[in-house]
């Protein structure tokens, strides 16, 4: 077990500085353009791939870094550059985490590399969980997976929504219900290989923020995947379902929740990147904007706002780093520390970007300054991968032991 440290050390410091340079030199200059275009920034993803930033090896190195803060540092710097482009670069990792959390070693080795492609031919992947009638309530998923024993194939039918990279992905990971009577305990995750018939993109969403990241519906119409595409394998699934039917403990984690639990601190780090970027713009503006004969930072009303912004950013980072360190060291989230980190970081991003707009006044409301975009981007961080209300529910259940609804 590694000791928790607030000093990431020379290796992670070097990675942080490298990513910061990429974010400043490549992502930021392109942010406004791709936000306006509302298209996947393939040239930026390819540039990241050429440098080794968009690759399985890079994320694996950060994920397994013994300090635990490799992924949070990477996410914070990329999203400091821009949230939409940052999510376009990192969105594939959610599907990769789904395979890591639920798959066998063979499945991980087979599918994870295909999700990224090569620097010459970049690919993206999609994790498909939410549905039109089932967002936070994962037990209500209607997408069905039926096993065809004669052909050793699973047949998937249903519609997924809010899927990052949905429809344009090379590899899709789909959460589906195998036994509807068991609710969330009757679900499993499946890999849908590239080119599989019956999978198509539904509507592409025009969003308030993170507009450079592709979000769409995914329609599954008689999609057939080989038996080996069931993450974890059928023997493990059958045993888990049997335990669930008997009502005994040990039924295993829900397929979607296992993914979200692993990714929540990373999502929190993304929100911190947005907040830090907005704070820095506001601080610089307050130092240089002169009103009534002096810089506005000399007014307590403005200075105190900046003090609160900085304090909340640092507090959020501490929560994210703690949860990430606990995860790497297999410390259980007995008080839902992963949800705590995502909740507070997401709320902090909303607060800080709103304050930044206030400090910039009318300028903050224009697209001449980036805080308007940052404020729009921050909005999703109290919604996706579990709303703030769901995070509070998870935390409340963890600390009370009560079946709070």
């Amino acid at each position: 077990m590694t000791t928790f440290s607030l000093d990431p050390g020379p290796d992670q410091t070097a990675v942080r500085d490298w990513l910061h340079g990429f974010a400043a030199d490549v992502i930021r200059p392109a942010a406004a353009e791709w936000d306006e275009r509302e298209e996947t920034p393939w040239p930026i993803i390819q540039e990241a791939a050429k440098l080794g930033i968009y690759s399985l090896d890079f994320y694996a190195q950060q994920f397994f870094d013994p300090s635990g803060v490799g992924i949070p540092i990477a996410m914070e710097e990329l999203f400091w550059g821009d949230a939409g482009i940052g999510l376009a670069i990192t969105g594939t990792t959610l599907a990769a985490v789904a395979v890591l959390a639920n798959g066998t070693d063979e499945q991980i080795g087979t599918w994870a590399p295909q999700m990224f492609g090569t620097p010459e031919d970049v690919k993206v992947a999609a994790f498909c969980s939410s549905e039109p009638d089932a967002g936070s309530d994962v037990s209500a998923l209607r997408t069905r997976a039926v096993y065809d024993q004669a052909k050793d194939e699973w047949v998937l039918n249903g519609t997924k929504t809010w899927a990052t990279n949905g429809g344009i992905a090379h590899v899709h990971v789909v959460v589906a219900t195998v036994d509807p009577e068991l609710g969330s305990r009757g679900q499993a995750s499946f890999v849908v290989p590239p080119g599989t018939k019956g999978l198509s993109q539904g509507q592409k969403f025009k969003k308030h923020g993170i507009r450079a990241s592709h979000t769409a519906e995914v329609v599954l119409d008689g999609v057939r995947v080989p038996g080996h595409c069931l993450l974890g394998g059928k023997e493990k699934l059958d045993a888990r379902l049997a335990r669930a039917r008997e009502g005994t403990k040990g039924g295993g984690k829900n397929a979607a929740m296992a993914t979200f639990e692993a990714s929540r601190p990373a999502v929190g780090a993304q929100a911190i990147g947005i907040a830090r970027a907005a704070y820095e713009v506001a601080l610089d503006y307050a130092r240089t904007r002169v009103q009534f004969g002096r810089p506005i930072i000399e007014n307590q009303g403005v200075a105190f706002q900046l003090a609160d912004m900085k304090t909340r950013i640092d507090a959020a980072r501490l929560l994210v780093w703690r949860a990430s360190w606990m995860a790497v060291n297999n410390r259980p989230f007995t008080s839902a520390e992963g949800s705590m980190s995502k909740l507070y970081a997401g709320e902090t991003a909303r607060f800080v970007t709103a304050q930044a707009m206030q400090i910039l006044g009318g300028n903050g409301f224009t697209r001449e300054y980036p805080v308007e975009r940052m404020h729009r981007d921050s909005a999703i961080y109290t919604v996706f991968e579990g709303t703030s209300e769901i995070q509070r529910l998870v935390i409340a259940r963890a600390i009370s032991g009560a079946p709070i609804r």
Side-chain angles (χ1 to χ4, degrees), residues 8 43 63 73 88 110 124 161 168 174 182 202 220 225 252 255 262 276 281 313 318 326 348 364 371 373 396-397:
F63 187 82
I73 287 175
T110 298
V124 294
T161 194
I168 67 170
V174 177
L182 295 177
L220 304 149
V225 299
R276 193 183 104 212
V281 172
I313 290 168
L318 286 171
M326 290 176 69
T348 292
V371 293
R373 185 180 68 251
R397 287 174 175 173

Side-chain angles (χ1 to χ4, degrees), residues 11-282:
D11 292 341
Q12 284 303 335
T13 299
V15 170
R16 181 194 64 197
D17 293 345
W18 173 48
L19 291 177
H20 186 81
F22 178 79
D25 298 338
V26 179
I27 294 178
R28 280 205 165 177
E33 175 190 352
W34 290 100
D35 177 69
E36 291 285 351
R37 291 174 64 168
E38 298 191 53
E39 297 174 1
T40 301
W42 291 107
I44 310 297
I45 298 174
Q46 187 167 35
E47 185 68 20
K50 288 178 180 178
L51 293 174
I53 295 170
Y54 183 76
S55 71
L56 177 62
D57 286 346
F58 172 74
Y59 288 111
Q61 288 174 11
Q62 305 315 309
F63 187 82
F64 292 110
D65 183 86
S67 72
V69 299
I71 287 292
I73 287 175
M75 293 293 178
E76 180 176 336
E77 293 305 325
L78 291 174
F79 282 70
W80 171 89
D82 178 66
I85 294 177
L87 195 57
I89 293 172
T90 63
T92 291
T93 61
L94 186 59
V97 167
V99 174
L100 288 169
N102 301 294
T104 64
D105 290 343
E106 182 179 357
Q107 289 171 328
I108 293 169
T110 298
W111 298 114
Q114 293 188 44
M115 294 179 172
F116 294 87
T118 65
E120 296 73 33
D121 184 22
V122 293
K123 306 292 185 184
V124 294
F127 178 67
C128 308
S129 176
S130 294
E131 296 184 1
D133 296 322
S136 298
D137 184 8
V138 295
S139 65
L141 297 184
R142 294 182 179 178
T143 297
R144 287 295 309 276
V146 178
Y147 185 58
D148 184 343
Q149 189 168 0
K151 296 183 178 180
D152 185 27
E153 292 179 338
W154 288 92
V155 185
L156 308 179
N157 284 285
T159 300
K160 294 295 182 179
T161 194
W162 311 122
T164 299
N165 298 329
I168 67 170
H170 190 60
V171 177
H172 291 77
V173 178
V174 177
V175 180
T177 296
V178 178
D179 188 337
E181 294 182 0
L182 295 177
S184 62
R185 299 180 79 188
Q187 297 168 1
S189 292
F190 300 83
V191 170
V192 180
T196 300
K197 293 181 180 179
L199 185 148
S200 62
Q201 179 183 308
Q203 68 166 317
K204 176 187 174 183
F205 295 104
K206 295 180 73 67
K207 305 189 300 295
H208 177 65
I210 55 169
R211 300 194 324 196
S213 173
H214 177 97
T215 310
E217 288 184 334
V218 174
V219 180
L220 304 149
D221 184 9
V223 171
R224 286 182 169 268
V225 299
H228 61 77
C229 288
L230 165 64
L231 291 179
K234 193 169 187 305
E235 183 177 339
K236 184 177 179 181
L237 173 65
D238 288 343
R240 177 163 63 83
L241 294 179
R243 291 194 296 270
R245 291 187 189 108
E246 293 169 3
T248 58
K249 294 183 178 180
K253 290 183 178 180
N254 168 266
M257 288 297 97
T259 302
F260 292 141
E261 285 176 20
S263 65
R264 276 173 179 160
V267 175
Q270 297 172 7
I272 293 168
I274 300 169
R276 193 183 104 212
Y279 159 76
E280 290 175 1
V281 172

